[in-house]
Every structure is written in C-alpha cells, then in structure tokens.
Amino acid sequence: MFKNFFSDFKKKRNLAKLKDEKFRFLFEKDSSGEYVVFDTETTGLDVKKDEILSIGAVKIKDNKILTSQTFEIYLKNSAEISSKSIEIHHIRPCDLENAIDAKEGIERFLHFIGSRTLIGYYLEFDVAMVNKYIKKSLGIELPNEMIEVSEIYFDKMMPLIPQGNIDLRFDTILKKCGVPDMGAHNAVNDAIMTAMIYLKLTQESNNVKTSI
Amino acid sequence: MSILDQKQLIASIHPFGQLSSRELDALMKKIDIAYYTKDTLLISKDIESIAFYIVIKGTVHEYIDEQLHNVYSHGDSFDADALIYGKTESKFVVDEDLICYEIKKEDFLDLMQNKEIQSYFLQDFISRHKHLKEFDAQSDFTPFLMARVSEIFLHKACIVDADISIYEALKEQKKLQAKVIIVQKDNSHTIVTDTDLREKVLLERLSVDEKISQIANNEIITIQSNDFLFNALLIMTHKGIKRLIVTEDDKIVGVLEQLDLLSFFANHSHLVAVQIQKASSIEELQFVSEDIKNLIVTLRAKGVKARYITKLVSALNEKIYKKVFEMCVPKELQDKCSLLVMGSEGRAEQTIKTDQDNALIISDDVDEALFVAPMEQLNSYLLELGFPKCKGNVMVSNPFWRKTLHDFKLQIKEWLSSLDEKELQNLSIFLDAKSVAGEESYLTTLRNYLYENFSHRDDVLAHLAKAVLYFETPLSLFSGFVLEKEHNNKLDLKKGGLFAIVHGVRVLALQYKVDETNTIERIKELNNRGIIDKNFAEELIESFDTIASIRLLALLEAKDLDEENYINPQKLSKNQRDLLKDSFKVVNKFKKFISFHFHLNMVV
C-alpha cells in the first residue's frame, strides 16, 4: 500500500516535469496487455559519458514474443566509436550508416513502448541510458513499470541454492533456462533471448524447479 | 546449439531456403516466437490449427488414434496439411517445453503463393521424397572434386637402370604392362615414351642394343600421391602432358595416365572392369577388389543412387567370380556346371563384400567328385579377395550347396514339405540365386521346377512370408525412431526395414513366378502384373532405396562388421532423417499388405 502510494507520488512528480504534452501517453494506464523487452548497445558502461548506439526491443503478449513487430534502431553518435567498445558490441562505424538522430530515435522508441511494462536484464542500466536522453529533451524519466529478469531468476533459484551464490551472468541464465543461444549479440537478439527467459520463468512457474 | 540468426534459421529449413531474400524479409515480419509448456494441446480434431509451427527448442508429439505417429524437434515444422485442408485427424501435444516460431494461418497460406513452397507442401509422398533427395545430392557433390591421387588406379612404374639396353627395357615394360619407361640414373629420373621410341629409335634407325639412357632426355614431372586429382588434371592441362609420375615420400609409386584420370571423372567403374578382365593372378584381382571400395565411396559422393551403386558393384563382383571360376575349374568341366551367387549378391544388392553365399549345380552326367577340389579352391580364393566366409556355411565347399541337378530337385521337394525355420531360410537364400559362371540353363530348369511345385501351395508361401513380421519397424518414441540401447542408441536398418521389403517381395516373386532376383526389378514386375499398384510400387522402391543408401553410408563408416547395419539417426542430416522416417512408414504399410495378402493372421 505504502509502496503503491510512493510510486504514484513519484509518478506524479515526474509527470509535473513533462515539457512536451505529446508524450503524456507514457503516463496513461496501459490497456494493451503487452510487455516490452528491450536492450541497448552503448559505447561504454559510464552512463554519464557514454552514448547509446542501438536499441532493440520486442513485445510480449501472453505466451508469445511478437517478433513480427521487432523494434531496432541505430543512433548517430557525437564521437568516434572506440575500437575497444567495438570488440564488445560489434557495431562498427560503417554499421551506423543508416543511423538516425538520437532525438528522433528515442522518440520512436517511446512511441513503441507506450506505457507498457518494461522487461530487461540489468534493466536499470538501459533505463538510465534512455533517461539521460529524455531528461534533457522532455524533462522526465521513464515512468513505466519495470521487471528485472535476473531478479525473477534469483528468486526462483534461491530455494535450490541456499548458500546464495547464484550465478547471474546472462549466458548462465540462458543455459539454465534452456533458451537457445541466438548467436549474434545485438540489441534485438538479446531482447528476444531475454524475452524467452522471461516466458520460461513466468509461464512455467510451478514446475520450473524440475527443469532448471 | 547455436542458431546464427533468426533469418538464417528459417532459411535453413526446407523449403523456406527457396525464398528470395526479399520474400524472406517479408516473412520475418510475420513470425512470432511462442512458448508452450509441457502437455499443451496445440492442434486436434476440435482445436483448429491457427498457425504453422517451426520448432526452435523442445519436442512435440503427433498422435493418430492415440498412437504416437511422429515426433517433432529442433528444425522440424508442422502441420501444413492441417492448415491447407482446415482439418486434421492428428493430435499435436507438447512433450517437452516448446519454444517455436509461429506463422499465422493467413500468412502461411499467403506464402503458398510462392510456387516452390506450394509444390513442396502439396506434393504427395513420392515427389516430396525425390525433392528432398535431389536437395541432398547437391551437398554431396563436393567430395568428388576432393578425391586424391592415391584413390585412383595407377599404372605400375617401369623403372629401369640407365645402363641396360633399349631392348631389355622394352621387355621389362611389356612384362609390367607399363605405358612408359622411367630411366634411373643415380637419383635422377628421365622418361621414355612411345613417341621417343618412334622418333629416336625407329626413325633414326637406332639399334635396340644401344643403352636406354641415350634416348631418355625428358625430365619427369611428378605429383604427390596425397595431392588432389583435380590438381593433377590442372598440371596436365597446363603443361600439355599426358601423364604424371606419382611419388610418395620421394619414392615413385606409379604412373597416372591422363586417360585414366579423365575416365575417373567420367566413369570410374569402366576402369575397374577392365582391370578385372586383365588380371592374370589372384594377387592382381586382390588389388582390383581393393579399388572397388574406393569406387563406392566416389560414386556415393557423386550422389549416385544406392541402387545403381549396388548394381554396379554386384556386376563387378560377378566379373571377379567369373574370373576366379575360370582359374579354378578345368576348361572341360566349365559348361558341366553352373556357379550361383545367392542372397544379397544374387539380388545384386550387395555393397561392400558381404558373406560368400554361393552354390554349384552340377550336370547329372558327370562325376560330382571332380568338383570337390576346384570348389574348395574357389572358396579360399574368394576369401583371399576379401569375401568373408559365410557363417551359415552357404558355400560351394559345403556338399549341401554343391549338388547335381537331380539332387537339387529332391531338395526342392523337401523344402515344400518342411516347415522348419532353417529349411525355410535356405529356401529364401536359394530364391535369390543367380548364375554367374558356367552353364546358365541349369538354374532356369531348377527355377521352373520350383514354380511348378509351389503353385497353389499358399500354405507354404504363408509360412515363408511370416518372417516379414519378425522384426519391429523401429518407428515411434524417441524422435520418431526406436533405438537399441545395447547398440549405443542406434537403429538396425536391415532388421528394421530392408529385411521386410526384401523378404516380402521375394515371396511374392515366388508366388507369381517372377524371374528377377533384384528387389527393385521384382517390385516393378509385380507392378506390371497388377499385384501392387503403381503408387505403392513407387513408394516401396523409393523407401527401399532410401534405407539402402543410408545403410551404405553406415557400411562405409562401420569399424567392425557387427555394427555395419546400425546407424545413429542423430548423426543424419535433417533431410535424411525425414526421408528415413517416411520410409519406415512405408515399410509398415507393406507389412500390413503382406499380412493381408497371405492371411498371416490365420497362420500359427
């Protein structure tokens, strides 16, 4: 109760800062029944300095991952991409030829997610990255509800591994959940894999112990 | 598991690979991924199919009348028929948590606008089978180009000392049947060709008593025996020469002739046949029979159908038999008897040398004893050539299989009255007899005698046919196949499939007096006589061919003889697995047909 009250309060304060009325929909009650799983590729892990290179997202409805409505954009960046980060995200400068302006890209992303609940793996970071952009342009932070898959996984594994040394690396969760590795780690593929993990963990809530 | 990319995965599933890149992109926009937990009922009579499913992970069981009919796992898809016809008799149930792609019904039907896709899903069994096979053959083509020099027939190298006379060198060359003379001086080699002899000896009126080194001044051009044949061809073309000297560890091991190389690429088998004809000793035949195995490997890599390979190999083995027969049996006795091969050799379905199954019919007017020694010799020669002894002792060295015409007739009478398993088995072996050397008419006489005696003896035929049902077809449960634990989860192709077809067809052939011994020829003839309808005959032939060709692969890879009939279905490609599953279904259909035809449910 108090938690709800607190989040409502936070939401209202957030809304009060909204500079552009066009984005009021982010605060409306979601009626689609869908979730959005998203992942970003960035130039680095420092929210303050680094920038978003690409965003990949898919919607989940019931037991389906709507890959038919996959969202994928590449964003223009202010600086050269360092060769070290290329090793991680495999986005080369030439891959950004179809990139669009950050402002436009982020707005398109906001339209894609609407007020749906967001799902991700270490979502906090991805959300912080997006917030960095919209704070500047819209004055707000993402108001959406959030679900962290590594948290669900942790809760599920807890009773099985009492010592609590639960390996929360993405690859480990992937393997433990029996989700196929889609190979290339780009934003969209990661989002799809995360979505599969989410479905695996939630759809099968009762007999997950036997299969993990 | 590693799926590279969603698009790539879809494209790897036949027939979606036929789609253009643009069509594939459009398709990707219509595909969702769905997750279903164990025991979810996806499609049934009452639940209309709403999508086409492609399995990413997990398994789905298809039941017809509560009987497990098929199992779908990674890369499999279902069920086009349910979507196209809007109904199904099957029930699809998730057996292991399923992650799959879903193409919505309307989108799937849209996809059918593509001619390739449409024909794939609408085709009947036979053409779908052929379609898949052709697809399979393409991927098999490369190994043929990768054949190595050591795999081809090499002429003996006639290497002579530089100091001997031309005359001596020519004599040596003739003895070795070599095409060229290689002249050795210290550690360097030069070559003397027919052209050299013509131009430097004949035209120059040079005495043949001169030293060979006088006319040898062309350097040899060599190739390593482990080099690719393709490279040999390139060198020959590039340098405009007709032969290469083949070396192994810097030693000359033979001569590669352009003619042989070209015919290797064109028709390798022709060469082997010539070699058998030319052989003058058992050792030479031995050399040739070694070559036959290489031939099989190459032909399979070329994508030649199993039935043609086995026919060809049988034809070559027949030639070997004939040659050995001529070596063992005195000339005056050769037309007083008929040498038979039986079992798989008789059916011309033998691949690599299987057991010796042979017999001899002797004319009634000569002394049997005259054949004892020659036949024992024949068996031991064949053994030397790598034809293993028959475990059941079905060989001409055994008096049971070496009889006069008269005694064989008595034997047939006995078979007719005996219901003993062992005797029935002997009869089965004899039914596939084929004459390979000597006087053929003896066999014809016996065969007609057999037909006379068996006509209207449906009771005996039924007992003979019963064996068709001895072994279970290994289809059901795990990924569709039943595997044998004691054989490392492999399945037996011979017991599981081939035997039923071969034996059933054999009994039908006896009943309807079909002279052919080859299973496929028998099926065709039975079809001509209206016993089996055309569609079923084609299904049978395709299935037989599929199982036989997968078995051929197993034979080539088998390390010991006991494992030769076993394959691990997980090691087969997706296409091959599908083909095999379909083939086993046909085997089951055939078993039902035989049961019905011979009223086997009434036979104890």
Side-chain angles (χ1 to χ4, degrees), chain A residues 27-187:
Chain A
F27 294 85
E28 276 158 14
K29 202 170 155 42
D30 173 55
S31 56
S32 68
E34 294 168 349
Y35 298 80
V36 171
V37 187
F38 91 103
D39 184 55
T40 59
E41 300 289 335
T42 56
T43 54
L45 295 174
D46 186 337
V47 179
K48 275 187 194 129
K49 279 197 306 207
D50 288 310
E51 296 178 45
I52 296 178
L53 289 169
S54 85
I55 305 178
V58 281
K59 288 176 187 166
I60 293 182
K61 181 160 190 173
D62 301 328
N63 66 335
K64 288 189 182 37
I65 303 165
L66 308 180
T67 41
S68 47
Q69 303 173 40
T70 309
F71 178 87
E72 183 176 34
I73 47 160
Y74 289 92
L75 299 184
K76 273 185 192 149
N77 269 266
S78 50
E80 277 287 293
I81 306 169
S82 79
S83 60
K84 207 167 165 213
S85 71
I86 291 177
E87 279 172 30
I88 297 164
H89 50 63
H90 293 281
I91 298 175
R92 300 154 298 173
C94 63
D95 291 321
L96 293 177
E97 269 172 21
N98 294 323
I100 51 177
D101 278 330
K103 187 172 163 7
E104 189 200 340
I106 297 288
E107 283 184 3
R108 268 162 61 177
F109 175 68
L110 294 179
H111 281 286
F112 183 80
I113 61 171
S115 55
R116 293 171 184 84
T117 300
L118 299 176
I119 300 173
Y121 171 80
Y122 281 124
L123 189 60
E124 204 182 325
F125 173 74
D126 298 295
V127 169
M129 285 303 292
V130 175
N131 283 345
K132 180 174 119 171
Y133 288 83
I134 59 174
K135 235 180 201 163
K136 233 190 287 170
S137 58
L138 301 176
I140 56 161
E141 293 182 349
L142 283 175
N144 309 50
E145 307 239 341
M146 291 169 203
I147 296 175
E148 171 62 49
V149 291
S150 64
E151 234 171 74
I152 307 177
Y153 177 76
F154 184 87
D155 290 347
K156 288 245 189 265
M157 295 302 283
M158 216 29 204
L160 301 177
I161 308 175
Q163 287 86 358
N165 290 323
I166 298 172
D167 186 349
L168 288 178
R169 278 174 299 178
F170 190 67
D171 287 348
T172 311
I173 299 180
L174 210 57
K175 220 189 257 165
K176 286 273 183 191
C177 288
V179 168
D181 191 341
M182 311 287 288
H185 279 272
N186 56 48

Side-chain angles (χ1 to χ4, degrees), chain B residues 164-262:
Chain B
I164 69 167
S165 68
I166 295 173
Y167 180 71
E168 287 296 326
L170 282 171
K171 254 172 66 180
E172 180 71 17
Q173 182 191 19
K174 184 167 192 284
K175 202 174 103 198
L176 293 174
Q177 297 191 328
K179 295 260 187 210
V180 291
I181 302 169
I182 299 166
V183 182
Q184 178 161 27
K185 191 169 191 191
D186 301 321
N187 263 332
S188 69
H189 295 93
T190 46
I191 193 168
V192 176
T193 62
D194 287 355
T195 318
D196 292 325
L197 290 169
R198 194 169 57 240
E199 290 180 6
K200 292 172 187 163
V201 182
L202 295 176
L203 284 175
E204 304 276 352
R205 292 176 187 278
L206 193 69
S207 161
V208 288
D209 294 327
E210 292 290 330
K211 279 185 187 170
I212 185 81
S213 56
Q214 252 196 290
I215 59 168
N217 36 29
N218 287 323
E219 288 291 315
I220 58 166
I221 296 166
T222 62
I223 186 164
Q224 295 272 339
S225 69
N226 61 1
D227 206 338
F228 294 116
L229 274 181
F230 196 68
N231 282 342
L233 194 62
L234 284 180
I235 298 175
M236 286 184 191
T237 317
H238 184 66
K239 304 214 180 214
I241 51 177
K242 288 201 182 75
R243 58 188 61 82
L244 289 171
I245 310 300
V246 181
T247 60
E248 208 169 86
D249 301 325
D250 288 327
K251 257 180 64 194
I252 293 175
V253 291
V255 180
L256 172 59
E257 294 283 344
Q258 186 185 39
L259 194 65
D260 296 350
L261 183 60
L262 291 177

Side-chain angles (χ1 to χ4, degrees), chain A residues 64-65 67-68 182 192 204, chain B residues 3-4 6 31-33 97:
Chain A
K64 288 189 182 37
I65 303 165
T67 41
S68 47
M182 311 287 288
I192 291 175
E204 204 201 22
Chain B
I3 311 164
L4 278 177
Q6 302 191 61
I31 294 184
D32 287 339
I33 295 175
D97 282 9

Side-chain angles (χ1 to χ4, degrees), chain B residues 272 275-292 316 319-325 327 353 381-382 384-385 387:
Chain B
V272 181
Q275 284 169 254
I276 295 173
Q277 225 100 65
K278 260 169 72 174
S280 57
S281 70
I282 199 77
E283 288 78 22
E284 278 177 57
L285 274 180
Q286 219 160 353
F287 187 70
V288 178
S289 65
E290 196 41 48
D291 224 28
I292 293 180
L316 293 174
K319 279 189 203 290
I320 292 186
Y321 259 96
K322 210 180 162 107
K323 194 85 190 182
V324 174
F325 177 83
M327 286 176 184
K353 269 152 251 151
Y381 273 173
L382 287 173
E384 269 182 58
L385 289 177
F387 294 84

